[in-house]
Amino acid sequence: MNITAWREKLLLNEDLNFLLTNRIPRVAATRFMGWYSRIRSPVLTRVSIAVWRLFTDLDLSEAKHQRFDSLHDCFTRELKPGLRPFDADPATLCSPSDAIVGACGPITGTDVLQAKGFPYPLRELLRSDAMAQRMQGGRYTTLRLTSAMYHRFHAPHTLAVDRVTYISGDTWNVNPIALKRVQRLFCKNERAVIECRLSELGNAPLILVPVAAVLVASIRLHWLNVLLHLRWPGPNVIPCAASMSKGEEMGWFEHGSTIIVLTPPGLELVPGVQSGVRIKVGQVLFQRRSDDV
């Protein structure tokens, strides 16, 4: 059996996959990976990347640099310039990250879905009834970043950031297997609730929720002078006054995880974007509804 077939067999075995990625000391493993990934040794890094490739479809051909002094440098790699152009139309909202689209749909009540049959309360995710009410009538989209993907995320539209609420938490895996087994998973994991206003769309609200996961649990936001991680107990509310243009880099995950996008009323997913579809940074994710133009 070749490596690709072996890897697929492992990934498709749900019980084994869940056991290996969740029934471990998740927080301890995540802290260890944070330490290990920062060891600056080109030789150790090459060996680690070779092992990483046994379990993923890691492709570094788009990376700005091909040599890495640490595993962390590879995780948070930049891309070659011009590879992820953003749609310039102000009526569109683009994907903030490379991702696989997960659960998505209208925000019409108190709950949204993490997977079919697995709802979770929006107010619990955001830790705010007021925020959850503000997004009623909009849409939610779950964007899952695999460990092999580009891990930086960007402003999906011209926006202003007013507040970040950092919530420390657990580090469950966020793959589809775990989402079908762990109730309210996104509400349990470490996350940052980023409250934004779309300055070119009448200051309509936009909320981005980067959710960390096993081996990740560390989120960098460029406009904050602190690395958000598990040793910093939350929730912590951080007022902000940051403005960003469409496509500007907002930050990165240390490995791979999820970004939940909550959009205001008047936007709809573009045709072809649905659960299971791969999407790239800058690709149009939402557009203004024709009846609102």
Side-chain angles (χ1 to χ4, degrees):
M1 182 183 295
N2 61 37
I3 289 178
T4 301
W6 170 82
R7 184 176 69 200
E8 290 301 317
K9 184 177 180 180
L10 173 64
L11 294 176
L12 290 174
N13 186 320
E14 293 197 4
D15 291 334
L16 181 59
N17 185 296
F18 188 79
L19 177 67
L20 292 177
T21 60
N22 289 293
R23 296 308 186 194
I24 59 174
R26 294 183 300 275
V27 173
T30 298
R31 287 176 173 168
F32 170 79
M33 180 55 71
W35 167 80
Y36 178 84
S37 69
R38 284 175 169 79
I39 297 175
R40 304 197 72 79
S41 166
V43 173
L44 180 62
T45 300
R46 286 197 296 272
V47 172
S48 299
I49 290 173
V51 173
W52 186 10
R53 281 186 159 129
L54 293 177
F55 297 92
T56 70
D57 55 355
L58 179 65
D59 180 5
L60 299 178
S61 63
E62 294 185 324
K64 184 176 180 180
H65 304 290
Q66 296 298 310
R67 288 178 170 270
F68 304 100
D69 291 332
S70 70
L71 203 54
H72 176 268
D73 289 347
C74 185
F75 286 160
T76 61
R77 62 192 178 274
E78 296 180 82
L79 297 183
K80 296 172 183 175
L83 287 182
R84 297 291 189 275
F86 271 69
D87 185 85
D89 187 347
T92 64
L93 189 146
C94 297
S95 176
S97 67
D98 285 6
I100 300 171
V101 178
C104 51
I107 305 172
T108 56
T110 58
D111 293 351
V112 294
L113 293 178
Q114 68 182 35
K116 186 177 180 180
F118 272 68
Y120 64 91
L122 193 56
R123 65 179 182 277
E124 191 174 322
L125 174 76
L126 304 175
R127 293 283 182 92
S128 168
D129 287 322
M131 260 192 280
Q133 286 298 321
R134 195 182 312 147
M135 304 313 295
Q136 289 297 307
R139 300 191 73 87
Y140 73 96
T141 303
T142 309
L143 302 176
R144 182 172 67 91
L145 292 74
T146 69
S147 64
M149 286 179 175
Y150 171 60
H151 304 132
R152 297 183 179 229
F153 49 93
H154 299 248
H157 203 280
T158 301
L159 53 80
V161 181
D162 294 326
R163 190 179 297 104
V164 174
T165 302
Y166 170 72
I167 303 165
S168 185
D170 208 326
T171 59
W172 290 96
N173 198 334
V174 293
N175 67 11
I177 295 169
L179 292 178
K180 291 189 295 183
R181 295 187 178 208
V182 182
Q183 295 278 0
R184 300 184 177 186
L185 189 154
F186 294 137
C187 301
K188 299 177 187 212
N189 272 20
E190 179 200 18
R191 58 199 182 278
V193 179
I194 306 173
E195 296 177 64
C196 310
R197 287 177 290 112
L198 297 170
S199 48
E200 293 183 351
L201 293 176
N203 281 326
L206 172 76
I207 297 178
L208 304 175
V209 188
V211 182
V214 67
L215 307 184
V216 188
S218 199
I219 301 167
R220 167 67 74 184
L221 301 175
H222 287 312
W223 65 93
L224 300 181
N225 61 0
V226 62
L227 180 66
L228 306 178
H229 57 73
L230 291 174
R231 297 181 189 276
W232 198 44
N236 287 281
V237 180
I238 310 167
C240 305
S243 296
M244 296 187 179
S245 57
K246 195 174 191 179
E248 187 173 344
E249 186 178 308
M250 299 182 77
W252 65 69
F253 289 109
E254 300 291 279
H255 194 187
S257 193
T258 291
I259 299 177
I260 299 169
V261 182
L262 305 175
T263 65
L267 293 173
E268 61 185 0
L269 280 170
V270 298
V273 175
Q274 58 189 356
S275 181
V277 168
R278 285 183 174 257
I279 192 168
K280 292 188 175 182
V281 172
Q283 186 176 335
V284 177
L285 187 61
F286 291 92
Q287 63 188 5
R288 193 182 300 181
R289 284 205 304 258
S290 56
D291 55 352
D292 291 320
V293 175

